[in-house]
């Protein structure tokens, strides 16, 4: 079980070490090649609906001192990861940076360096950072709804948790690792899931019992969602067949949150297939909603306008729906928050707005 | 049960409304008086160990248009709160700001205005924002350890949850309201609680099973802790007799986190008695730790130095321990993070640092 899952990353790490060792043995200057992480080497794959790296590669060799240190650091990191996997430990990216204090001259100059090297390892091996037991500082998001999962806890015990009946009102907290060795989906009795940008709106839907009344699963995105949140939603969508709806502010930055949920982000292009849910549908708030519901708004800032204009040329926003909504927003020069729906009272979001919008999407009859 | 708890805030709100009504009836220009919220009217009470407002009062009357709108707004807000209490609803501060869109000319100019008015209501009535069903956007913090609570959930059902055995590895999420009608402490089998600044260190202690091995309760502060987190720790300390230890970065801003946990913050001086745990003890990281454990450090910035100097004149930091540590920090010109302990490996914090420091405090033998 856990072993088979952990076998692949260990093997991949050994491959890297063996390749360097082999080059040294045969008297070559050691080096490794990795896909170029430039914008021009990242392509949108319309068929899969996600971002991926292209074929261009760069190499990193020990010809110069800088490159040699980089290879040494890589070897230390491989060793550290191997040790963690063997001991069932994990480390924050910040801890790994401090761990390198013990690596003498190979120690990282900044956490940015160690984070980038962790991403390089992902790209080279095709594994995920979570497989290497590395995790960010971010908290997992909260979820609420009639879905039962089985979590293998820190002691290796398996616990069934219903994300509505077995938790308090703050919901179930998604752990940093949601791969199959940690989380299994057991049962789901919901018609769809809604990913919600703000904690205020998430708590509103929880308080109003929207998950029960509308048979849905609520996910708090907490702004730009953590990897574990995106992976959790993708697995729920794929393994349990639960359609995913995204509900955010009407704001260019919120549209990017939707895009990263549905298509992936440039920064994590190498693992888009693991994280993105290409069938995710954007529900609102839209510019049309601002007009139809006469919502309280703020003026677009100069930066907002620039962001919207750049989205008009982004392949992730090129369908008719997004073109129309973004152009309408630029025309009315306004943005609005989810919580602006409270203008009509605390129940307006759950009693009027969401049912109307979900009916349009065919998710409520 | 719930009714008795909700009776007091409703009565207090009626008092305000009645007083305004009485003044109008007798032909006076209506007004209300509230404690001045200036720095000079906030005093440190050494006996109770918390901040409190002094006796100076200001008045707010309808003599000018601005004041009249303010009173009108107050009446609308009282009515909104009454309605929420009667319907067992709650609202984010942001939602209340948007709700005021329906109040015509009395609508708030900004959320800052509505937040301040909510604080005024607390000061006048001696109730807490939570009693008025108003809450911030912040997420509740996570906790982990052998403490059993009973949460009354949104449906009014009472659920017993053990914060170690009945939750996943991300712990139990503290809800926004932790008053007695929502949370009751049932049982506690721990020797002390540790409040931890960063998520990385909280997860480290969870992963290493420190709560079990050292019979303690772990609380993630998430930086400057939310009111619900501070209230939860205070109640655990007072009702269950669990000593509270605070573990943060060695950094002037982290010292302020400790001070707000132990003594309260100026912004919430009117409710310090509800939120502060005056017996809380600071564990580290200290400047002495930086030297004793030879920790990786960063240089103090100019702002850090200014903050430390101002702490030297802050009544909350005037004992020998803080004077010595702050002066030492200014001398070595360095600060350090909790996670810098990872320099010596992922187990150093739980196997060496914490046991040594806790023994010094007499909490581990």
């Amino acid at each position: 079980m856990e072993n088979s899952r952990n076998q692949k990353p260990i093997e991949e790490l050994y491959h890297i070490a063996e390749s360097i060792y082999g080059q040294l043995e045969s008297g070559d200057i050691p080096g490794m090649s990795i896909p170029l992480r430039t914008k021009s080497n990242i392509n949108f794959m319309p068929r899969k609906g996600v971002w991926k790296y292209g074929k261009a590669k760069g190499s990193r060799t020990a010809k110069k001192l800088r490159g040699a240190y980089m290879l040494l650091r890589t070897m230390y990191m491989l060793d550290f990861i191997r040790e963690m996997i063997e001991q069932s430990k994990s480390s924050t990216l910040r801890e790994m940076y401090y761990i390198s204090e013990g690596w003498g001259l190979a120690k990282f100059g900044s956490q940015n360096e160690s984070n980038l090297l962790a991403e390089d390892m992902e790209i080279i091996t095709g594994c995920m950072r979570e497989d290497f037991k590395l995790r960010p500082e971010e908290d997992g998001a909260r979820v609420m709804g009639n879905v039962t999962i089985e979590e293998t806890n820190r002691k290796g015990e398996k616990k069934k948790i219903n994300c509505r009946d077995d938790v308090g009102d703050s919901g179930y907290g998604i752990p940093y690792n949601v791969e199959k060795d940690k989380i299994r989906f057991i049962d789901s009795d919901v018609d769809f899931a809604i990913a919600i940008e703000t904690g205020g709106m998430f708590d509103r839907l929880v308080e109003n019992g929207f998950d029960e009344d509308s048979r849905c699963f609520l996910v708090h995105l907490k702004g730009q969602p953590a990897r574990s949140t995106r992976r959790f939603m993708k697995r729920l969508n794929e393994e349990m067949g639960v359609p995913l709806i995204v509900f955010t502010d009407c704001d260019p930055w919120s549209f990017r949150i939707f895009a990263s949920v549905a298509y992936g982000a440039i920064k994590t292009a190498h693992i888009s297939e693991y994280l993105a849910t290409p069938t995710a549908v954007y529900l609102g708030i839209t510019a049309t909603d601002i007009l139809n519901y006469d919502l309280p708004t703020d003026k677009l800032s100069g930066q907002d306008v620039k962001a919207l204009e750049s989205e008009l040329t982004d392949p992730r926003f090129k369908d008719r729906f997004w073109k129309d909504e973004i152009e309408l927003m630029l025309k009315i020069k306004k943005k609005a928050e989810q919580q602006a729906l409270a203008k009509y009272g605390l129940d307006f979001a759950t009693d009027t707005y969401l049912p109307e919008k979900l009916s349009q999407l065919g998710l409520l009859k």
Side-chain angles (χ1 to χ4, degrees), chain A residues 66-217:
Chain A
R66 215 181 107 87
Y69 278 139
M70 204 60 198
L71 287 179
L72 188 57
R73 233 168 249 151
T74 308
M75 295 304 114
Y76 270 117
M77 193 192 276
L78 297 180
D79 194 49
F80 173 61
I81 293 170
R82 185 188 50 75
E83 211 179 286
M84 283 200 293
I85 293 177
E86 283 174 6
Q87 298 178 1
S88 296
K89 288 258 168 189
S90 67
S91 154
T92 63
L93 292 164
R94 189 94 189 125
E95 283 175 320
M96 183 174 70
Y97 162 65
Y98 279 119
I99 286 273
S100 83
E101 289 272 337
W103 298 352
L105 291 170
K107 106 179 177 192
F108 292 108
S110 71
Q111 197 190 331
N112 195 31
E113 268 182 33
S114 51
N115 289 358
L116 281 173
L117 187 53
E119 283 176 19
D120 286 347
M121 293 294 106
E122 288 185 311
I123 295 170
I124 295 170
T125 62
C127 295
M128 290 209 287
R129 191 171 68 195
E130 289 76 6
D131 296 322
F132 299 148
K133 308 289 179 185
L134 294 171
R135 60 193 156 84
E137 292 279 321
E138 307 141 34
D139 268 331
R142 300 177 293 136
V143 297
M144 174 73 88
N146 193 6
V147 169
T148 304
I149 55 122
E150 182 184 78
E151 179 179 327
T152 303
N153 72 9
R154 53 184 173 160
K155 294 184 233 166
E157 299 160 356
K158 291 183 196 306
K159 261 185 218 173
K160 269 192 197 152
I161 299 176
N162 179 286
C163 299
R164 182 190 65 188
D165 300 336
D166 300 334
V167 298
D169 281 358
S170 94
Y172 170 72
I174 300 180
Y176 87 92
N177 172 9
V178 297
E179 294 309 313
K180 289 189 175 116
D181 57 330
K182 180 77 186 170
I183 299 277
R184 286 198 321 126
F185 288 100
I186 304 292
D187 193 28
S188 140
D189 190 25
V190 294
D191 294 334
F192 58 95
I194 303 193
I196 301 148
E197 180 176 356
T198 64
M201 186 52 81
F202 176 83
D203 288 329
R204 165 66 39 232
L205 269 53
V206 169
E207 182 174 290
N208 290 9
F210 191 72
D211 53 314
E212 297 209 319
D213 298 344
S214 301
R215 293 180 43 77
C216 70
F217 188 76

Side-chain angles (χ1 to χ4, degrees), chain A residues 1 25 30-31 44 56 58 69 108 126 147 153 162 172 175 182 189 261 264 267 272 280 305 309 324 346 349 361:
Chain A
M1 24 136 286
E25 270 256 303
F44 191 67
Y69 278 139
F108 292 108
V147 169
N153 72 9
N162 179 286
Y172 170 72
K182 180 77 186 170
D189 190 25
V261 168
K267 196 176 144 51
S272 291
V305 171
E309 280 165 352
D324 289 350
L346 297 179
L361 297 174

Side-chain angles (χ1 to χ4, degrees), chain A residues 338-354:
Chain A
Q338 298 187 292
Q339 294 191 71
L341 294 165
K343 171 183 177 184
Y344 302 109
L346 297 179
D347 296 335
F348 185 75
T350 50
D351 289 1
T352 307
Y353 176 79
L354 285 171

Side-chain angles (χ1 to χ4, degrees), chain A residues 14 235 241 303 334 349:
Chain A
Y14 273 110
R235 287 191 56 201
Q303 282 202 314
K334 283 175 179 164

